[in-house]
């Protein structure tokens, strides 16, 4: 079974349940789904294998004061994000302490109601970002390869509208580095 996309494909219980039923799962192992589903754990794994990440505070924020201290260290503007998030839920941009305090309360509330997990963290805001994904394929023997990248920047309400492959405007050096880092991340345990 291939999980497709959406919340079932991001459920770490799925591969184990299929294995128990004798069904071959075509997708990542439960540990990988769990690790990549938690943005803080995913960042830790990425840093561990030398994958570039957005500068940020590497732990869940305790309260508004912790958020303000982290933001002042990083420098404004910053982005609050839900650790278990996706689809833009639990995300808030802050340009100053006031924005951050209001955004923190909202992000925590939305994270808890959307993901049953109220942890939020903070990163430097990347203004005018590009959303580029690298598809990887792995087997049970440890072989991992990339299938190229796709540009997913055109979105509406944090949902992809257009995906274009190969990503336009990427130079060959950047394209190769992204592919190499995606493979490195897919092979970490």
């Amino acid at each position: 079974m291939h999980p497709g996309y959406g919340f079932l494909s991001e459920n770490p219980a799925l591969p184990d349940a299929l294995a128990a039923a004798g069904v071959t799962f075509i997708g990542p192992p439960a540990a990988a789904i769990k690790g990549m589903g938690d943005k803080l754990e995913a960042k830790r794994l990425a840093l561990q294998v030398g994958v570039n990440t957005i500068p940020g505070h590497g732990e869940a924020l305790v309260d508004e004061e912790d958020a303000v201290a982290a933001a002042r260290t990083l420098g404004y503007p910053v982005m609050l994000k839900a650790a278990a998030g996706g689809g833009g839920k639990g995300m808030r941009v802050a340009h100053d302490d006031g924005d951050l305090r209001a955004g923190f309360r909202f992000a925590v509330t939305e994270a808890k109601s959307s993901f049953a997990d109220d942890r939020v963290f903070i990163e430097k805001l990347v203004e005018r970002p590009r959303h580029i994904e690298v598809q990887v394929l792995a087997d049970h023997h440890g072989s991992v390869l990339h299938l190229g990248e796709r540009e997913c920047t055109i979105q509406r309400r944090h949902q992809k509208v257009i995906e274009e492959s190969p990503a336009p405007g990427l130079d060959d050096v950047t394209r190769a580095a992204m592919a190499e880092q995606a493979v490195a991340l897919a092979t970490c345990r």
Side-chain angles (χ1 to χ4, degrees), residues 40 43-44 56-62 66 70 83 119-122:
L40 286 167
K43 282 186 74 114
R44 276 191 281 279
H57 183 68
E59 301 295 328
L61 298 166
V62 177
D66 190 26
R119 293 174 305 135
V120 297
F121 66 104
I122 196 167

Side-chain angles (χ1 to χ4, degrees), residues 133-138 143-150 165-166 172 174-184 186-187:
E133 298 179 357
V134 177
Q135 196 73 38
V136 294
L137 184 64
S143 301
V144 179
L145 57 99
H146 72 88
L147 303 176
E149 83 292 337
R150 62 183 182 256
S165 185
D172 291 339
T174 302
R175 181 174 276 115
M178 289 178 70
E180 182 180 314
Q181 288 190 13
V183 169
T187 58

Side-chain angles (χ1 to χ4, degrees), residues 93-150:
V93 172
H95 294 279
D96 56 40
D97 291 354
D99 284 351
L100 188 63
R101 290 177 197 284
F104 180 83
R105 290 186 295 271
F106 184 87
V108 167
T109 300
E110 188 170 48
K112 187 171 185 175
S113 68
S114 297
F115 308 110
D117 183 341
D118 66 356
R119 293 174 305 135
V120 297
F121 66 104
I122 196 167
E123 291 179 333
K124 188 77 176 135
L125 176 68
V126 177
E127 301 197 57
R128 298 191 53 141
R130 289 181 67 186
H131 182 135
I132 299 176
E133 298 179 357
V134 177
Q135 196 73 38
V136 294
L137 184 64
D139 64 20
H140 290 286
H141 306 290
S143 301
V144 179
L145 57 99
H146 72 88
L147 303 176
E149 83 292 337
R150 62 183 182 256

Side-chain angles (χ1 to χ4, degrees), residues 145-163:
L145 57 99
H146 72 88
L147 303 176
E149 83 292 337
R150 62 183 182 256
E151 172 88 39
C152 308
T153 302
I154 299 175
Q155 299 185 10
R156 182 171 187 262
R157 292 190 214 143
H158 304 287
Q159 299 297 314
K160 299 170 206 162
V161 175
I162 296 174
E163 297 185 19

Side-chain angles (χ1 to χ4, degrees), residues 1-3 18 24-28 137:
M1 177 182 154
H2 186 279
L18 291 173
T24 300
F25 177 65
I26 302 172
L137 184 64

